[in-house]
Amino acid sequence: MNGDQLHGRWREVKGIVLENWGRVVHDPWMRIAGRRERLLGRLEASLASSRQLADTSFARSHAAARGRSGAAPSR
């Protein structure tokens, strides 16, 4: 889990807490803000894992292409 994923999960938890507190105090705007925060947290965590997957996939394919071409690794 990288920093972006961790931050996304933290935002999601913060949103859940905010939404539940809005339920307790009967504040619909706070509940909406909590839902928004939770959604943004999920999105951020998902994008971070997609970005990490893309980076590792690119690195593997780049390394494989280098191996096939016989080129010396660049420094």
Side-chain angles (χ1 to χ4, degrees), residues 11-60:
R11 268 183 101 167
E12 190 176 349
V13 168
K14 189 168 73 169
I16 290 169
V17 169
L18 191 60
E19 184 179 355
N20 288 331
W21 185 251
R23 282 190 184 131
V24 168
V25 296
H26 303 291
D27 185 357
W29 292 107
M30 192 176 292
R31 288 177 63 192
I32 292 170
R35 285 186 200 150
R36 178 183 179 274
E37 193 71 23
R38 189 170 69 180
L39 177 65
L40 290 174
R42 276 190 194 167
L43 183 63
E44 186 175 353
S46 175
L47 288 175
S49 62
S50 296
R51 187 178 332 154
Q52 186 178 19
L53 179 65
D55 286 344
T56 57
S57 176
F58 176 76
R60 273 193 230 135

